[in-house]
Amino acid sequence: MLSREFLRAHADEVKLAIQQRCDDAQIDEIIALDAKQRRLKVESDELKAERNRISKLFSDKNLSQEQQAGLRRQATGLRDRVQGVDERIDDLESRLHDLELWVPNIPDPSVPIGTTEDDNVVRWTWGEPREFSFEPRSHADLGENLGIFDPQDAVAMSGTRFYALAREAALMERALAHLMLDVHVREHGFEERWVPYVVKSDAMIVSAQLPKFAEEAYY
């Protein structure tokens, strides 16, 4: 999540990034609410300072009962005003937090700008594309014919766009996972961890999956 200090100092940069990502976030509203909240915090601090000053006056033993009663009325009034201002600060904080969750990160300058896959840029290729003397079939068709790719059972269990692998395909999937882990741990300094498959919503928020992709998430 981008800090409010960064948003205040780089509002135009963030707005451009949002536009380039074809995204949507209310930067102007965030900045306006942030300014209002900071003013209220100053007001709250001033009221609390005045309340503390009045509280110290009660230690004066020369005060008359009438003066003490007046100080109590002032202290009560300040207490109520502080409570009201702090409640407004909390309400603004809640609204700001909700808005900030929709602010995306700024893309790296090297990322190409585009709206469709046709705008993608090929950075490198590996090997030469194979030429076939026949019309090649998709991996899904080949897998189903070989009995190692089963989308029907997976869809019945989990929904559309899921698939199940069997025999050689399952073995290959496991081997690829081991290869990836071994290369990164042995050659790139990563530390291997096993973590839970199920996470709390806070973990989805800090990884930028919520609230934006709430409709696509399984729970």
Side-chain angles (χ1 to χ4, degrees), residues 174-204:
R174 179 159 54 89
L176 288 172
H178 278 286
L179 174 64
M180 184 277 294
L181 287 170
D182 290 343
V183 169
H184 283 76
V185 171
R186 296 174 183 173
E187 300 180 17
H188 300 293
F190 282 80
E191 180 180 83
E192 187 170 351
R193 296 285 186 95
W194 281 98
V195 298
Y197 286 106
V198 179
V199 297
K200 296 180 179 179
S201 59
D202 287 347
M204 298 284 282

Side-chain angles (χ1 to χ4, degrees), residues 3 16 25 35 76 85 101-102 104 114 145 152 163 175 178 199-200 214:
S3 69
L16 178 61
T76 301
V85 172
L101 292 177
W102 292 92
N145 289 340
Q152 295 182 352
Y163 60 88
H178 278 286
V199 297
K200 296 180 179 179

Side-chain angles (χ1 to χ4, degrees), residues 149-165 216-218:
F149 185 88
D150 182 7
Q152 295 182 352
D153 286 346
V155 169
M157 288 185 291
S158 304
T160 57
R161 302 181 70 180
F162 282 89
Y163 60 88
L165 301 177
E216 287 78 24
Y218 286 81

Side-chain angles (χ1 to χ4, degrees), residues 47-48 50-55 58 67-85:
L47 290 172
K48 290 173 183 175
E50 178 65 13
R51 184 184 60 186
N52 292 337
R53 186 189 68 83
I54 291 177
S55 295
F58 281 101
Q67 289 174 319
Q68 290 180 352
L71 289 175
R72 290 192 187 92
R73 286 193 296 271
Q74 292 184 56
T76 301
L78 286 168
R79 181 198 62 196
D80 295 341
R81 290 177 62 188
V82 167
Q83 181 178 350
V85 172

